[in-house]
Amino acid sequence: MNQGPNSYIAHIRQKDKQIQTVSEHLDAVQEGCEVFGGKIGVAHLAGMTGMLHDMGKYTPAFKQYIQLASDDPKHAPRRGSVDHSTAGGRWLYRRYHKKALLPEDKAAAEWMANCIISHHQGLRDYLAPETETPFLERVARKKEGLEEYEQAVKAFLDNWTEEELDCYFADAAKELKQALQRIRDNKLKPIASSLLIKYLFSCLIDADRTNTREFEENRYEGWQRDYAEFFARSYDLLMQELQRKNQEENSDHPINRLRREMSEQCEAFAHHPSGIYTLSIPTGGGKTLASLRYALKHALEKGKDRIIYIVPFTTIIEQNAQEIRNILQDDDNILEHHSNVIEELDYNPADPDRKTDYHLQKERLSVARDNWDRPIIFTTMVQFLNTFYAKGTRNTRRLHQLSNAVLIFDEVQAVPPQCVSLFNAALNFLQAFGRSSLILCTATQPALDFVKHKLLKNEQAEIIGGLHDVNRHFKRVELQNRITDEGWKTEELADFVHERMEELDSILIILNTKTAVRKLYTRLKDEGWMQEDQVVLYHLSTGMCAAHRKETLKEINEALDPKTPKRIICISTQLIEAGVNVSFQCVIRSLAGLDSIAQAAGRCNRHGEAELRQVYVIRSAEESLSKLPEIKIGAEISERLFREHKDDPGRYSDGLLSPQGMEAYFSYYYDEIKDELDYPIRQLDKNLFDLLNYNKAYYDDYCRTHGRPPEMVSRSSFATAEQYFEVIANKTVSVLVPYDSPAREMLLDLNGELEPEELSRLLRKAQQYVVNVYEPDKMKLEREGIIFPLLHGHVWALREDAYSQDFGIDPQREGGSGWGFAGA
């Protein structure tokens, strides 16, 4: 029986069984793709992916499939049993690739077709190991599931003439040619083409998921947001806050005068064009509010869409986001995105155990709103890099939101070494294509423009003038080298802390491992003098959830308040080093990279309360750094610099924490790890950067094996690269913890049936109660019955009696009964 094009179904709304036709869905997604792609000049390249992505739904087989899924979601057909994503890519390949005479026509067909065939699983390899071509296998050779392909094409062409499509494709190919010229003009590496394909993919994924969610909720918001009014209001509120600070009783303190001058320089710099700049405000110089002042002013002057803070640790998000919320008084427009509580849901049709509820998996999880559609975003370096390089669709969905934006990279020295080249490529792409302004914010600037695949910073990139004098005026600490060959045992360190506390009221001790922190904490907690001298002891580590750390930091700041001071010792891992606004009278730092030592020093005498305070650098005998190679190498280089400074004090005349010392450190460090910077993949004897760049090895392998070049002009091995990409090498699993009563209520709610909007709200809330545990620890917790699944097995939660108020989750605690210490 013949069916008209408007009788085919894209989605059925669960609550009222209303139908969205395929034509309605394709028109809406095309429009969204054109808006997102238009921001960087690829409206037609993106739009055509939206226009064609669900061509395969124009079939009786898919219509029957979705009706069955809607009628009985719990016994729905296996997801993917009807192939609806190949048809559009195949049509593009057959019509425009096989007959193409120009390389840009071939490339346009390849780029769009890959996005279309991949929009439920992640981009395919053009060239793969073993000289395979998964892209061509799909668009040119696949047969299963495509029995009704011709039917789908015929129904689709009832809405478009071939002449209209040819004109639209010609515009897309023209955009691609212009994009390649822009790559050449900006002296970018070929990896920029791969990132442009990822950008197109992002446009499609977000437009598709957003339209699906809006149809399900029967609420449509439009594709464009104008946040100018919010930015103007926020700028006024920020200026009021700065004015209030300028009237405080200590506003004329030299440190505060310097902070004010640097803040004013940030505002003055806001009129500069988009580019890659550095903001090298010394630690404690007020860079959070100074960078926000720049960002708001720049967003208003240059019409930017959003401001995104990217930080290395979630602790910085927690503190900085709260500080800005307090000023701007607008929770809804400020989004914290720490982690994916639910990881990417890969579907493998060959795995019968993955036959999960179609409605839950597709309509609830994949469309839940986590696409960074807010004007101010706080996220982590892990999430930023995942947006460009991680597998699947969920992370990539956000990529287009990074265009026409202001990106503040706080503590940029913390870019993982193996990701340096990938990080530089992402920033170079955003500057050249995205019209984004990228600010590298740290007191310890890494030498990212001196590595092989360098960062293309603007000339005169530094926002703050006279840095040498600024750093000299900001000197508040002296480094004391107490490094010994054998290292300090816990008992010796505890005695030294006691000795220093006879003269001081507050000490911060930062050690490299949670084990060393736990040992010292336990030792000091049992010391009699702690009780006698009324010293309050605190612990901080990543075993604690964000809400717990936030509460602990609040208590620490109250204890350090000069108006209501307490005697205090805090023992922490390095998470306290960046972005945490605390000021101790003394810091003891276990030997690490000089950038870490400098950040630790920034927690000492932060506001210039005394002329100079002491930062002691030791070697802990309780730490094993064999599984922490970056810290180990950094520590060795720092020790080398200490020796050089001792042998020739004039070599670093302003001290090791000066820009001169930091430049020497990063020069040594990057030279030591130069073979790691391109993300080596040991299993393949390749590096990830090359798989997305020239990909010469796989190209040469293909030519040797087949005796000819491949039929494609594109070479990128997307799926292979994504398979091996992890910002943090050791795989972690997110576990939700019952830290307080709101967390316990949230865990109960997550066990119910949820609409997408409610699920999105809960997942955002859940980020405050997540602890990431390594896979072996997760398996141990599971074996002992300490964690249990929620939300149909997609989320892990901790048993209520297994969360320690001292350590958070502590998988290394001995004995099964050791978990029963809630409230300890």
Side-chain angles (χ1 to χ4, degrees), residues 11 38 51 65 94 102 108 125 146 151 158 170 176 348 384 387 610 690 698 702 708 715 818:
H11 301 108
M51 174 199 307
Y65 163 76
R94 287 184 174 180
L102 300 174
D125 284 340
L146 291 167
Q151 159 75 35
D158 284 342
L176 186 141
N348 179 4
F384 173 78
T387 299
D690 283 345
Y698 285 164
Y702 186 96
R708 56 174 173 77
R715 300 184 182 184

Side-chain angles (χ1 to χ4, degrees), residues 138-350:
R138 185 70 176 267
V139 296
R141 303 178 189 121
K142 186 175 187 284
K143 294 180 180 179
E144 182 184 359
L146 291 167
E147 294 81 5
E148 296 178 319
Y149 167 74
E150 297 298 340
Q151 159 75 35
V153 172
K154 182 177 183 301
F156 174 79
L157 291 176
D158 284 342
N159 290 319
W160 289 83
T161 68
E162 293 187 348
E163 292 76 13
E164 288 173 325
L165 292 166
D166 290 345
C167 288
Y168 199 99
F169 178 84
D171 287 336
K174 182 179 178 181
E175 289 172 349
L176 186 141
K177 186 176 182 180
Q178 292 168 342
L180 294 178
Q181 186 60 49
R182 196 185 312 180
I183 290 172
R184 289 188 288 269
D185 291 344
N186 285 276
K187 297 181 171 56
L188 302 184
K189 302 287 175 67
I191 191 173
S193 296
S194 297
L195 299 185
L196 184 51
I197 298 171
K198 284 261 187 171
Y199 186 96
L200 297 174
F201 192 47
S202 169
C203 296
L204 173 59
I205 298 304
D206 194 22
D208 180 28
R209 306 298 193 262
T210 298
N211 179 252
T212 301
R213 174 181 58 79
E214 290 184 338
F215 171 73
E216 183 67 25
E217 294 173 355
N218 197 24
R219 186 175 65 190
Y220 300 90
E221 299 175 348
W223 294 111
Q224 292 177 294
R225 310 274 193 278
D226 184 357
Y227 292 122
E229 184 179 330
F230 167 77
F231 289 141
R233 183 172 69 251
S234 297
Y235 175 79
D236 290 342
L237 289 168
L238 175 63
M239 296 309 293
Q240 291 172 27
E241 173 64 13
L242 294 176
Q243 184 63 32
R244 186 192 64 77
K245 285 179 176 291
N246 293 342
Q247 294 171 352
E248 291 178 344
E249 59 180 85
N250 62 345
S251 62
D252 282 336
H253 188 287
I255 291 288
N256 288 326
R257 285 203 304 271
L258 272 171
R259 286 170 177 158
R260 191 156 56 244
E261 289 169 13
M262 290 187 290
S263 175
E264 289 165 357
Q265 287 186 60
C266 285
E267 167 141 354
F269 202 86
H271 74 273
H272 281 68
S274 298
I276 301 176
Y277 301 107
T278 57
L279 178 58
S280 304
I281 289 179
T283 304
K287 65 177 178 292
T288 299
L289 296 189
S291 61
L292 180 64
R293 185 173 179 177
Y294 162 85
L296 288 169
K297 187 73 170 179
H298 188 68
L300 285 167
E301 288 202 3
K302 305 298 182 183
K304 300 302 182 188
D305 294 336
R306 59 187 41 82
I307 296 166
I308 305 175
Y309 277 85
I310 297 107
V311 301
F313 308 118
T314 56
T315 39
I316 308 178
I317 292 180
E318 294 147 23
Q319 177 162 301
N320 290 3
Q322 190 58 50
E323 183 178 6
I324 288 175
R325 275 200 174 93
N326 291 342
I327 296 170
L328 304 188
Q329 297 295 309
D330 193 331
D331 281 357
D332 188 56
N333 280 314
I334 301 172
L335 173 68
E336 295 177 51
H337 184 209
H338 306 185
S339 60
N340 290 338
V341 177
I342 300 175
E343 298 304 321
E344 182 76 39
L345 294 172
D346 290 331
Y347 170 70
N348 179 4

Side-chain angles (χ1 to χ4, degrees), residues 635-646:
E636 291 167 354
I637 294 171
S638 294
E639 194 169 6
R640 171 182 174 179
L641 288 167
F642 275 115
R643 287 196 302 269
E644 290 179 356
H645 189 41
K646 181 181 178 182

Side-chain angles (χ1 to χ4, degrees), residues 453-728:
H453 300 300
K454 65 182 181 179
L455 187 67
L456 302 175
K457 293 192 295 191
N458 286 51
E459 291 186 25
Q460 306 301 316
E462 178 54 49
I463 294 175
I464 302 300
L467 269 182
H468 178 78
D469 290 337
V470 169
N471 279 279
R472 195 155 37 82
H473 290 310
F474 247 87
K475 185 173 181 180
R476 292 152 295 166
V477 301
E478 287 182 329
L479 283 188
Q480 298 289 336
N481 180 359
R482 297 295 180 92
I483 303 166
T484 61
D485 289 341
E486 61 276 11
W488 292 48
K489 291 187 166 66
T490 296
E491 298 78 14
E492 295 171 312
L493 184 51
D495 290 343
F496 182 65
V497 171
H498 184 196
E499 177 188 315
R500 300 306 302 133
M501 282 300 288
E502 290 178 349
E503 303 173 9
L504 302 168
D505 292 319
S506 63
I507 295 180
L508 170 64
I509 306 119
I510 304 175
L511 305 175
N512 290 317
T513 68
K514 283 187 277 191
T515 300
V517 166
R518 187 167 54 243
K519 282 185 178 180
L520 182 61
Y521 179 90
T522 304
R523 171 78 184 207
L524 287 175
K525 195 173 184 182
D526 294 336
E527 293 276 1
W529 63 266
M530 292 282 292
Q531 285 74 38
E532 292 170 12
D533 295 346
Q534 295 184 315
V535 178
V536 184
L537 183 63
Y538 289 99
H539 159 273
L540 284 168
S541 80
T542 52
M544 303 155 71
C545 67
H548 190 174
R549 292 197 300 265
K550 183 178 179 180
E551 184 62 31
T552 302
L553 284 166
K554 180 183 176 185
E555 291 180 20
I556 289 171
N557 271 307
E558 289 172 354
L560 293 170
D561 189 335
K563 296 176 183 175
T564 56
K566 295 180 181 177
R567 307 199 71 211
I568 173 177
I569 296 172
C570 177
I571 310 169
S572 177
T573 58
Q574 64 181 1
L575 66 85
I576 200 172
E577 287 179 348
V580 180
N581 187 13
V582 290
S583 183
F584 287 81
Q585 292 177 352
C586 172
V587 167
I588 301 169
R589 180 57 167 103
S590 184
L591 185 62
L594 191 64
D595 56 332
S596 291
I597 294 170
Q599 294 296 335
R603 313 310 125 192
C604 183
N605 198 26
R606 188 175 180 86
H607 308 299
E609 297 94 340
E611 185 176 346
L612 279 177
R613 292 289 192 185
Q614 308 304 309
V615 173
Y616 298 93
V617 180
I618 66 158
R619 189 198 313 276
S620 169
E622 309 292 353
E623 295 174 350
S624 171
L625 301 183
S626 59
K627 294 182 180 178
L628 299 168
E630 296 160 24
I631 294 177
K632 185 173 185 291
I633 293 168
E636 291 167 354
I637 294 171
S638 294
E639 194 169 6
R640 171 182 174 179
L641 288 167
F642 275 115
R643 287 196 302 269
E644 290 179 356
H645 189 41
K646 181 181 178 182
D647 294 341
D648 181 9
R651 186 168 184 175
Y652 307 109
S653 55
D654 289 334
L656 287 181
L657 300 186
S658 65
Q660 185 185 22
M662 208 56 60
E663 185 177 322
Y665 169 77
F666 278 111
S667 175
Y668 290 152
Y669 183 70
Y670 284 143
D671 184 63
E672 180 71 24
I673 64 166
K674 57 181 177 292
D675 294 334
E676 302 296 313
L677 300 178
D678 294 347
Y679 203 107
I681 303 172
R682 314 290 183 203
Q683 302 93 316
L684 301 178
D685 194 25
K686 303 283 187 298
N687 69 66
L688 198 150
F689 186 91
D690 283 345
L691 293 180
L692 300 177
N693 198 43
Y694 288 105
N695 207 7
K696 187 175 186 301
Y698 285 164
Y699 179 83
D700 290 346
D701 286 349
Y702 186 96
C703 292
R704 279 193 298 271
T705 301
H706 298 276
R708 56 174 173 77
E711 301 170 38
M712 307 161 296
V713 295
S714 304
R715 300 184 182 184
S716 304
S717 298
F718 289 111
T720 300
E722 291 171 3
Q723 177 186 348
Y724 291 97
F725 180 75
E726 288 180 307
V727 180
I728 301 171

